[in-house]
Amino acid sequence: MNYKVFLVEDEIIAREGIRDAIDWAAAGYQFCGEASDGEIALPIIRERRPDIVITDIKMPFMDGLQLCRILKETLPTTKIMILSGHDEFRYAQEAIQIGVTEYLLKPIVAQDLLAALRKIAGQIDQERQAREQLDALQTQMSNHQPVLRERCLLDLVAGSSSTTDFMEQARSLEIDLLAPWYQVLVMHAMPPSATTAPLYAVYQQIDVIVAAILGESRSVVAFKHGMEDTILIIKGSTRVDVLQRADGLAAALRQRVAEQIGCRAMIGSGDPTERLSLISQSFSQALAQIEHPIELPVEVEPYDHDQLHGGAIIMKARAYIDANYADPAMSLGQAAAHVLLSPTYFSAVFRREVGETFIDYLTHVRMRKAIELLRSTSLTASEIAYRIGYQNPRYFYSVFRKVVGQPPNEFRRHS
């Protein structure tokens, strides 16, 4: 890598001596300019932006220390090497306080100067590498932010995260949820049985309708739960305020979804609450309105009777599947074990409560994640297959085509 070096020295013989004593290009540097004092140097440095500035301390008009202070504020990544005489120790101390990178005593010999430059170049390399890693990490975080946002909100409504944990995650994910009052709506859309369009396409139309109704509103935080459910957290200043907003929003969603795509939108509404920690309760109430409680056969499962509500059990199971869909080992038995039910009984309850089988639900979750990755990343279809839990990319292509209606790469080209 080539490093740009700028020299500031008022003594012309010394300046030319340093400039001409080194074969800059052979040593891996580009000598990009020189000046006789800080005042003349400053505009040139700002224009040419050297990686390293070598400067004398004592100079007329603007000395080396004044130049260092300005450069540290305006070009903080530029490294500064001070050249000083033996009688300028107090200046050297001040230079160190300012944050100069290297300090050399006059007279300067080429070997010492090159050794100091190599040391600075090493620091520059380390800092560049650190910045590149940080940029890559930020890019990666940005690409995954929608998924992380959804998971954070799912944890909140499922009661899986504390208020403190949620607040910390919400701040980093830019989720603006704080308000005096909250109320949860859950919309479960049911496509007409006669529809021939791929389910994904139908639910995508529903997402467009929801986005159009919400517009730029900051009073509703919406996110998906699986492919077919939309969760909406309404914010308001008073209890009456959130109730009115929730009623109006529910009515608009039912009407628009029915009119535009012929779907029936079942919407459950929870009670308003003043606490973030009780949003999960509002969510459970909303869910219960669109899911029917089950009657558990007494002889089937030894389970805590306080938890024998089908909606609560399945909500917990769905949250578990949504969080672990990328695990290739995810299975009916694994999900059943998580909610302490036998696989057979869990399968029956899941199908009755969710309206589809466990494997269909898991497939839809994985397809939705695949679509997000196809749209937001440059990952290959095979890489995406592995990331969402498929160990055989060919099988992933087959499933994707069946659910979405076109192969992954074709979907990416048209999306």
Side-chain angles (χ1 to χ4, degrees):
M1 182 172 290
N2 209 291
Y3 308 93
K4 295 165 69 176
V5 178
F6 193 94
L7 175 62
V8 189
E9 169 63 75
D10 60 328
E11 297 177 16
I12 187 167
I13 295 177
R15 190 168 71 242
E16 291 179 350
I18 294 172
R19 182 192 64 197
D20 299 335
I22 295 175
D23 184 347
W24 297 95
Y29 303 92
Q30 176 191 351
F31 190 84
C32 67
E34 59 184 278
S36 59
D37 63 70
E39 185 177 332
I40 294 176
L42 195 55
I44 306 174
I45 290 173
R46 283 180 174 171
E47 176 192 345
R48 299 179 186 177
R49 295 184 173 271
D51 299 297
I52 303 169
V53 171
I54 304 172
T55 179
D56 190 12
I57 286 186
K58 285 187 175 179
M59 294 182 294
F61 305 107
M62 179 185 290
D63 66 26
L65 295 180
Q66 290 174 303
L67 177 63
C68 288
R69 290 192 190 91
I70 295 172
L71 291 180
K72 277 297 172 185
E73 291 180 0
T74 57
L75 297 172
T77 60
T78 297
K79 303 301 179 187
I80 302 172
M81 181 192 298
I82 288 285
L83 308 179
S84 176
H86 288 286
D87 59 344
E88 298 170 344
F89 181 69
R90 68 182 180 85
Y91 293 116
Q93 285 183 308
E94 188 173 349
I96 292 171
Q97 290 174 353
I98 292 171
V100 300
T101 309
E102 276 295 320
Y103 184 90
L104 288 182
L105 290 175
K106 294 180 178 179
I108 310 297
V109 297
Q111 187 176 5
D112 291 343
L113 181 58
L114 282 172
L117 286 170
R118 281 194 294 271
K119 186 176 177 182
I120 294 175
Q123 293 182 24
I124 292 172
D125 288 344
Q126 289 179 357
E127 292 178 5
R128 283 176 177 169
Q129 188 176 12
R131 283 198 297 274
E132 289 172 358
Q133 290 175 344
L134 180 60
D135 290 344
L137 183 61
Q138 288 175 336
T139 300
Q140 189 177 12
M141 285 291 292
S142 176
N143 290 337
H144 289 85
Q145 188 152 354
V147 177
L148 296 174
R149 177 184 183 277
E150 182 180 299
R151 183 168 298 177
C152 175
L153 289 164
L154 280 172
D155 285 342
L156 175 70
V157 298
S160 302
S161 65
S162 68
T163 301
T164 303
D165 290 343
F166 171 77
M167 293 291 289
E168 289 180 359
Q169 293 180 46
R171 185 168 56 252
S172 64
L173 295 170
E174 299 179 352
I175 300 173
D176 179 16
L177 191 59
L178 288 182
W181 283 85
Y182 312 95
Q183 185 174 359
V184 177
L185 295 183
V186 177
M187 181 177 76
H188 181 81
M190 299 181 67
S193 56
T195 185
T196 56
L199 284 179
Y200 165 71
V202 174
Y203 289 121
Q204 192 176 42
Q205 287 181 288
I206 293 172
D207 293 344
V208 171
I209 292 171
V210 172
I213 291 175
L214 297 183
E216 299 297 324
S217 172
R218 298 175 64 85
S219 62
V220 180
V221 174
F223 56 102
K224 298 291 292 186
H225 185 214
M227 185 176 286
E228 62 277 74
D229 289 352
T230 302
I231 300 171
L232 305 109
I233 303 177
I234 294 91
K235 303 188 294 180
S237 55
T238 65
R239 177 185 176 85
V240 173
D241 184 28
V242 291
L243 282 168
Q244 290 176 342
R245 289 185 182 183
D247 288 345
L249 180 57
L253 287 168
R254 288 192 188 95
Q255 182 180 353
R256 295 276 288 275
V257 168
E259 288 178 352
Q260 294 187 20
I261 56 175
C263 281
R264 179 188 173 199
M266 295 189 300
I267 298 179
S269 177
D271 289 340
T273 176
E274 295 175 281
R275 295 185 179 278
L276 277 172
S277 59
L278 295 181
I279 283 180
S280 60
Q281 183 174 307
S282 183
F283 171 64
S284 296
Q285 292 164 343
L287 205 60
Q289 288 188 7
I290 57 175
E291 293 182 346
H292 301 292
I294 63 170
E295 294 180 4
L296 183 69
V298 175
E299 69 279 9
V300 175
E301 283 290 334
Y303 191 74
D304 185 350
H305 287 273
D306 291 334
Q307 302 180 42
L308 293 183
H309 189 281
I313 294 173
I314 297 307
M315 181 184 71
K316 184 177 179 181
R318 289 171 70 174
Y320 177 74
I321 298 167
D322 291 348
N324 296 278
Y325 67 90
D327 181 358
M330 169 60 70
S331 65
L332 175 70
Q334 192 172 323
H338 183 71
V339 293
L340 304 179
L341 294 180
S342 69
T344 302
Y345 182 67
F346 172 75
S347 177
V349 173
F350 192 93
R351 184 165 190 165
R352 181 162 55 186
E353 293 296 313
V354 178
E356 60 185 340
T357 65
F358 163 82
I359 193 63
D360 285 344
Y361 180 82
L362 175 61
T363 299
H364 287 151
V365 171
R366 285 174 167 168
M367 292 303 103
R368 185 160 158 262
K369 302 301 177 185
I371 288 166
E372 290 175 0
L373 293 172
L374 284 167
R375 284 178 165 165
S376 63
T377 73
S378 58
L379 294 172
T380 66
S382 294
E383 290 171 330
I384 290 174
Y386 291 119
R387 286 204 177 194
I388 62 172
Y390 288 96
Q391 293 180 304
N392 184 339
R394 286 192 174 185
Y395 181 63
F396 162 66
Y397 300 154
S398 172
V399 174
F400 190 93
R401 183 168 192 163
K402 181 179 179 182
V403 174
V404 180
Q406 52 190 329
N409 291 333
E410 187 176 333
F411 173 83
R412 172 176 270 163
R413 283 196 297 274
H414 293 99
S415 63

